[in-house]
mmCIF file of all heavy atoms in Angstrom:
data_model
loop_
_atom_site.group_PDB
_atom_site.id
_atom_site.type_symbol
_atom_site.label_atom_id
_atom_site.label_comp_id
_atom_site.label_asym_id
_atom_site.label_seq_id
_atom_site.Cartn_x
_atom_site.Cartn_y
_atom_site.Cartn_z
ATOM 1 N N LEU A 542 153.465 119.009 122.318
ATOM 2 C CA LEU A 542 153.065 117.835 123.089
ATOM 3 C C LEU A 542 153.142 118.160 124.564
ATOM 4 O O LEU A 542 154.138 118.737 125.032
ATOM 5 C CB LEU A 542 153.994 116.658 122.760
ATOM 6 C CG LEU A 542 153.857 115.410 123.639
ATOM 7 C CD1 LEU A 542 152.511 114.738 123.403
ATOM 8 C CD2 LEU A 542 155.001 114.437 123.368
ATOM 9 N N SER A 543 152.118 117.828 125.307
ATOM 10 C CA SER A 543 152.150 117.968 126.763
ATOM 11 C C SER A 543 151.765 116.631 127.382
ATOM 12 O O SER A 543 151.100 115.800 126.757
ATOM 13 C CB SER A 543 151.206 119.073 127.233
ATOM 14 O OG SER A 543 149.875 118.791 126.871
ATOM 15 N N CYS A 544 152.193 116.417 128.617
ATOM 16 C CA CYS A 544 151.971 115.151 129.300
ATOM 17 C C CYS A 544 151.545 115.429 130.736
ATOM 18 O O CYS A 544 152.237 116.161 131.464
ATOM 19 C CB CYS A 544 153.237 114.305 129.262
ATOM 20 S SG CYS A 544 153.071 112.703 130.072
ATOM 21 N N ASN A 545 150.423 114.863 131.139
ATOM 22 C CA ASN A 545 149.910 115.068 132.490
ATOM 23 C C ASN A 545 150.319 113.963 133.456
ATOM 24 O O ASN A 545 149.770 113.858 134.550
ATOM 25 C CB ASN A 545 148.380 115.163 132.464
ATOM 26 C CG ASN A 545 147.903 116.488 131.903
ATOM 27 O OD1 ASN A 545 148.583 117.503 132.031
ATOM 28 N ND2 ASN A 545 146.746 116.482 131.258
ATOM 29 N N ILE A 546 151.279 113.142 133.056
ATOM 30 C CA ILE A 546 151.771 112.070 133.922
ATOM 31 C C ILE A 546 153.042 112.549 134.630
ATOM 32 O O ILE A 546 153.996 112.965 133.965
ATOM 33 C CB ILE A 546 152.073 110.805 133.100
ATOM 34 C CG1 ILE A 546 150.841 110.395 132.285
ATOM 35 C CG2 ILE A 546 152.538 109.657 133.991
ATOM 36 C CD1 ILE A 546 151.099 109.261 131.305
ATOM 37 N N PRO A 547 153.087 112.527 135.956
ATOM 38 C CA PRO A 547 154.299 112.963 136.673
ATOM 39 C C PRO A 547 155.526 112.182 136.211
ATOM 40 O O PRO A 547 155.430 110.992 135.869
ATOM 41 C CB PRO A 547 153.963 112.658 138.148
ATOM 42 C CG PRO A 547 152.472 112.661 138.204
ATOM 43 C CD PRO A 547 152.008 112.143 136.887
ATOM 44 N N PHE A 548 156.684 112.860 136.222
ATOM 45 C CA PHE A 548 157.902 112.266 135.665
ATOM 46 C C PHE A 548 158.261 110.957 136.363
ATOM 47 O O PHE A 548 158.666 109.987 135.714
ATOM 48 C CB PHE A 548 159.072 113.244 135.784
ATOM 49 C CG PHE A 548 160.350 112.712 135.192
ATOM 50 C CD1 PHE A 548 160.579 112.772 133.829
ATOM 51 C CD2 PHE A 548 161.315 112.102 136.006
ATOM 52 C CE1 PHE A 548 161.744 112.253 133.281
ATOM 53 C CE2 PHE A 548 162.479 111.582 135.458
ATOM 54 C CZ PHE A 548 162.696 111.660 134.087
ATOM 55 N N SER A 549 158.128 110.905 137.691
ATOM 56 C CA SER A 549 158.505 109.689 138.426
ATOM 57 C C SER A 549 157.661 108.489 137.983
ATOM 58 O O SER A 549 158.167 107.380 137.811
ATOM 59 C CB SER A 549 158.339 109.913 139.931
ATOM 60 O OG SER A 549 156.994 110.281 140.239
ATOM 61 N N ILE A 550 156.341 108.730 137.764
ATOM 62 C CA ILE A 550 155.453 107.658 137.307
ATOM 63 C C ILE A 550 155.751 107.304 135.848
ATOM 64 O O ILE A 550 155.778 106.130 135.473
ATOM 65 C CB ILE A 550 153.984 108.069 137.476
ATOM 66 C CG1 ILE A 550 153.664 108.295 138.965
ATOM 67 C CG2 ILE A 550 153.049 107.031 136.882
ATOM 68 C CD1 ILE A 550 152.267 108.794 139.215
ATOM 69 N N ALA A 551 155.977 108.345 135.032
ATOM 70 C CA ALA A 551 156.283 108.110 133.617
ATOM 71 C C ALA A 551 157.567 107.302 133.465
ATOM 72 O O ALA A 551 157.674 106.439 132.590
ATOM 73 C CB ALA A 551 156.406 109.445 132.883
ATOM 74 N N HIS A 552 158.563 107.571 134.342
ATOM 75 C CA HIS A 552 159.831 106.843 134.285
ATOM 76 C C HIS A 552 159.618 105.364 134.601
ATOM 77 O O HIS A 552 160.160 104.487 133.914
ATOM 78 C CB HIS A 552 160.823 107.453 135.269
ATOM 79 C CG HIS A 552 162.165 106.784 135.251
ATOM 80 N ND1 HIS A 552 163.066 106.954 134.225
ATOM 81 C CD2 HIS A 552 162.748 105.912 136.143
ATOM 82 C CE1 HIS A 552 164.151 106.234 134.470
ATOM 83 N NE2 HIS A 552 163.986 105.599 135.637
ATOM 84 N N LYS A 553 158.797 105.069 135.621
ATOM 85 C CA LYS A 553 158.525 103.678 135.987
ATOM 86 C C LYS A 553 157.770 102.945 134.885
ATOM 87 O O LYS A 553 157.952 101.747 134.692
ATOM 88 C CB LYS A 553 157.714 103.633 137.282
ATOM 89 C CG LYS A 553 158.486 104.081 138.519
ATOM 90 C CD LYS A 553 157.589 104.019 139.754
ATOM 91 C CE LYS A 553 158.350 104.495 140.989
ATOM 92 N NZ LYS A 553 157.494 104.466 142.207
ATOM 93 N N LYS A 554 156.915 103.664 134.163
ATOM 94 C CA LYS A 554 156.086 103.040 133.133
ATOM 95 C C LYS A 554 156.715 103.123 131.743
ATOM 96 O O LYS A 554 156.060 102.834 130.739
ATOM 97 C CB LYS A 554 154.706 103.702 133.106
ATOM 98 C CG LYS A 554 153.889 103.461 134.369
ATOM 99 C CD LYS A 554 152.477 104.033 134.234
ATOM 100 C CE LYS A 554 151.636 103.706 135.445
ATOM 101 N NZ LYS A 554 150.242 104.195 135.308
ATOM 102 N N ASN A 555 157.981 103.568 131.684
ATOM 103 C CA ASN A 555 158.682 103.660 130.398
ATOM 104 C C ASN A 555 157.981 104.614 129.432
ATOM 105 O O ASN A 555 157.807 104.325 128.250
ATOM 106 C CB ASN A 555 158.813 102.269 129.778
ATOM 107 C CG ASN A 555 159.798 102.241 128.622
ATOM 108 O OD1 ASN A 555 160.701 103.081 128.545
ATOM 109 N ND2 ASN A 555 159.633 101.294 127.711
ATOM 110 N N LEU A 556 157.562 105.774 129.975
ATOM 111 C CA LEU A 556 156.873 106.778 129.174
ATOM 112 C C LEU A 556 157.645 108.093 129.122
ATOM 113 O O LEU A 556 157.066 109.157 128.891
ATOM 114 C CB LEU A 556 155.466 107.033 129.736
ATOM 115 C CG LEU A 556 154.521 105.830 129.765
ATOM 116 C CD1 LEU A 556 153.247 106.174 130.526
ATOM 117 C CD2 LEU A 556 154.176 105.383 128.350
ATOM 118 N N VAL A 557 158.947 108.023 129.344
ATOM 119 C CA VAL A 557 159.755 109.245 129.429
ATOM 120 C C VAL A 557 159.710 110.050 128.129
ATOM 121 O O VAL A 557 159.785 111.279 128.148
ATOM 122 C CB VAL A 557 161.214 108.879 129.794
ATOM 123 C CG1 VAL A 557 162.096 110.129 129.801
ATOM 124 C CG2 VAL A 557 161.256 108.197 131.141
ATOM 125 N N GLN A 558 159.559 109.362 126.997
ATOM 126 C CA GLN A 558 159.544 110.089 125.716
ATOM 127 C C GLN A 558 158.409 111.105 125.644
ATOM 128 O O GLN A 558 158.501 112.095 124.932
ATOM 129 C CB GLN A 558 159.415 109.097 124.564
ATOM 130 C CG GLN A 558 160.699 108.301 124.310
ATOM 131 C CD GLN A 558 160.466 107.198 123.307
ATOM 132 O OE1 GLN A 558 159.845 106.199 123.631
ATOM 133 N NE2 GLN A 558 160.978 107.376 122.099
ATOM 134 N N TYR A 559 157.320 110.852 126.385
ATOM 135 C CA TYR A 559 156.201 111.783 126.377
ATOM 136 C C TYR A 559 156.416 112.973 127.316
ATOM 137 O O TYR A 559 155.685 113.956 127.237
ATOM 138 C CB TYR A 559 154.912 111.060 126.777
ATOM 139 C CG TYR A 559 154.403 110.094 125.741
ATOM 140 C CD1 TYR A 559 154.274 108.741 126.051
ATOM 141 C CD2 TYR A 559 154.062 110.521 124.466
ATOM 142 C CE1 TYR A 559 153.805 107.845 125.097
ATOM 143 C CE2 TYR A 559 153.599 109.628 123.517
ATOM 144 C CZ TYR A 559 153.472 108.289 123.835
ATOM 145 O OH TYR A 559 153.003 107.398 122.905
ATOM 146 N N THR A 560 157.397 112.873 128.209
ATOM 147 C CA THR A 560 157.598 113.958 129.196
ATOM 148 C C THR A 560 158.416 115.101 128.627
ATOM 149 O O THR A 560 158.493 116.171 129.241
ATOM 150 C CB THR A 560 158.290 113.409 130.450
ATOM 151 O OG1 THR A 560 159.588 112.898 130.103
ATOM 152 C CG2 THR A 560 157.464 112.308 131.091
ATOM 153 N N LYS A 561 159.048 114.906 127.458
ATOM 154 C CA LYS A 561 159.767 116.002 126.798
ATOM 155 C C LYS A 561 158.733 116.854 126.067
ATOM 156 O O LYS A 561 158.570 116.783 124.856
ATOM 157 C CB LYS A 561 160.795 115.449 125.828
ATOM 158 C CG LYS A 561 161.881 114.613 126.502
ATOM 159 C CD LYS A 561 162.840 114.033 125.483
ATOM 160 C CE LYS A 561 163.911 113.197 126.145
ATOM 161 N NZ LYS A 561 164.860 112.614 125.164
ATOM 162 N N SER A 562 158.010 117.651 126.838
ATOM 163 C CA SER A 562 156.840 118.306 126.273
ATOM 164 C C SER A 562 156.800 119.778 126.615
ATOM 165 O O SER A 562 157.542 120.276 127.467
ATOM 166 C CB SER A 562 155.565 117.624 126.798
ATOM 167 O OG SER A 562 155.420 117.884 128.183
ATOM 168 N N ARG A 563 155.901 120.464 125.964
ATOM 169 C CA ARG A 563 155.687 121.905 126.169
ATOM 170 C C ARG A 563 154.505 122.090 127.127
ATOM 171 O O ARG A 563 153.483 122.663 126.779
ATOM 172 C CB ARG A 563 155.409 122.578 124.816
ATOM 173 C CG ARG A 563 155.252 124.089 124.870
ATOM 174 C CD ARG A 563 155.074 124.630 123.457
ATOM 175 N NE ARG A 563 154.761 126.039 123.461
ATOM 176 C CZ ARG A 563 153.526 126.530 123.331
ATOM 177 N NH1 ARG A 563 152.507 125.702 123.216
ATOM 178 N NH2 ARG A 563 153.309 127.820 123.342
ATOM 179 N N ASN A 564 154.622 121.554 128.325
ATOM 180 C CA ASN A 564 153.576 121.691 129.322
ATOM 181 C C ASN A 564 153.725 123.045 130.016
ATOM 182 O O ASN A 564 154.646 123.264 130.803
ATOM 183 C CB ASN A 564 153.659 120.555 130.339
ATOM 184 C CG ASN A 564 152.412 120.473 131.201
ATOM 185 O OD1 ASN A 564 151.852 121.494 131.570
ATOM 186 N ND2 ASN A 564 152.006 119.248 131.509
ATOM 187 N N LYS A 567 154.043 122.987 133.853
ATOM 188 C CA LYS A 567 155.165 122.307 134.505
ATOM 189 C C LYS A 567 156.537 122.779 134.037
ATOM 190 O O LYS A 567 157.502 122.726 134.788
ATOM 191 C CB LYS A 567 155.026 120.797 134.286
ATOM 192 C CG LYS A 567 153.758 120.215 134.917
ATOM 193 C CD LYS A 567 153.648 118.727 134.685
ATOM 194 C CE LYS A 567 152.373 118.177 135.334
ATOM 195 N NZ LYS A 567 152.211 116.723 135.113
ATOM 196 N N VAL A 568 156.629 123.213 132.786
ATOM 197 C CA VAL A 568 157.916 123.704 132.262
ATOM 198 C C VAL A 568 157.941 125.215 132.431
ATOM 199 O O VAL A 568 157.312 125.955 131.679
ATOM 200 C CB VAL A 568 158.088 123.324 130.774
ATOM 201 C CG1 VAL A 568 159.429 123.808 130.257
ATOM 202 C CG2 VAL A 568 157.967 121.814 130.597
ATOM 203 N N LYS A 573 162.859 126.608 127.308
ATOM 204 C CA LYS A 573 162.548 125.196 127.138
ATOM 205 C C LYS A 573 161.190 125.015 126.488
ATOM 206 O O LYS A 573 160.991 124.118 125.673
ATOM 207 C CB LYS A 573 162.586 124.485 128.495
ATOM 208 C CG LYS A 573 163.986 124.225 129.023
ATOM 209 C CD LYS A 573 163.928 123.355 130.268
ATOM 210 C CE LYS A 573 165.329 123.024 130.745
ATOM 211 N NZ LYS A 573 165.294 122.170 131.959
ATOM 212 N N PHE A 577 160.396 123.089 122.733
ATOM 213 C CA PHE A 577 159.489 121.987 122.479
ATOM 214 C C PHE A 577 158.250 122.403 121.673
ATOM 215 O O PHE A 577 157.258 121.690 121.654
ATOM 216 C CB PHE A 577 159.057 121.344 123.791
ATOM 217 C CG PHE A 577 160.189 120.709 124.539
ATOM 218 C CD1 PHE A 577 160.441 121.029 125.857
ATOM 219 C CD2 PHE A 577 161.012 119.792 123.906
ATOM 220 C CE1 PHE A 577 161.483 120.444 126.547
ATOM 221 C CE2 PHE A 577 162.062 119.205 124.587
ATOM 222 C CZ PHE A 577 162.311 119.528 125.908
ATOM 223 N N TYR A 579 157.363 122.802 117.973
ATOM 224 C CA TYR A 579 157.975 122.407 116.713
ATOM 225 C C TYR A 579 157.292 123.122 115.555
ATOM 226 O O TYR A 579 156.070 123.256 115.516
ATOM 227 C CB TYR A 579 157.874 120.890 116.549
ATOM 228 C CG TYR A 579 158.515 120.163 117.713
ATOM 229 C CD1 TYR A 579 157.740 119.687 118.767
ATOM 230 C CD2 TYR A 579 159.896 119.988 117.767
ATOM 231 C CE1 TYR A 579 158.325 119.040 119.845
ATOM 232 C CE2 TYR A 579 160.492 119.348 118.844
ATOM 233 C CZ TYR A 579 159.701 118.880 119.883
ATOM 234 O OH TYR A 579 160.283 118.256 120.950
ATOM 235 N N LEU A 592 158.376 109.273 118.504
ATOM 236 C CA LEU A 592 157.503 108.840 119.598
ATOM 237 C C LEU A 592 157.218 107.351 119.482
ATOM 238 O O LEU A 592 157.339 106.769 118.407
ATOM 239 C CB LEU A 592 156.194 109.627 119.561
ATOM 240 C CG LEU A 592 156.284 111.136 119.849
ATOM 241 C CD1 LEU A 592 154.927 111.797 119.630
ATOM 242 C CD2 LEU A 592 156.781 111.391 121.268
ATOM 243 N N PRO A 593 156.822 106.705 120.582
ATOM 244 C CA PRO A 593 156.519 105.267 120.538
ATOM 245 C C PRO A 593 155.417 104.956 119.527
ATOM 246 O O PRO A 593 154.550 105.790 119.249
ATOM 247 C CB PRO A 593 156.056 104.967 121.969
ATOM 248 C CG PRO A 593 156.656 106.036 122.809
ATOM 249 C CD PRO A 593 156.705 107.254 121.940
ATOM 250 N N ILE A 657 148.882 113.911 126.506
ATOM 251 C CA ILE A 657 148.844 112.514 126.912
ATOM 252 C C ILE A 657 148.470 112.425 128.390
ATOM 253 O O ILE A 657 149.039 113.141 129.230
ATOM 254 C CB ILE A 657 150.207 111.833 126.677
ATOM 255 C CG1 ILE A 657 150.654 112.020 125.232
ATOM 256 C CG2 ILE A 657 150.138 110.353 127.036
ATOM 257 C CD1 ILE A 657 149.712 111.453 124.204
#
Side-chain angles (χ1 to χ4, degrees):
L542 171 68
S543 61
C544 180
N545 286 330
I546 306 173
F548 182 81
S549 58
I550 297 176
H552 181 73
K553 291 179 181 179
K554 294 185 176 183
N555 193 25
L556 299 172
V557 176
Q558 287 172 286
Y559 290 120
T560 62
K561 298 177 180 180
S562 68
R563 184 176 173 261
N564 193 322
K567 297 180 180 179
V568 181
K573 284 188 176 180
F577 296 127
Y579 303 98
L592 294 174
I657 306 300

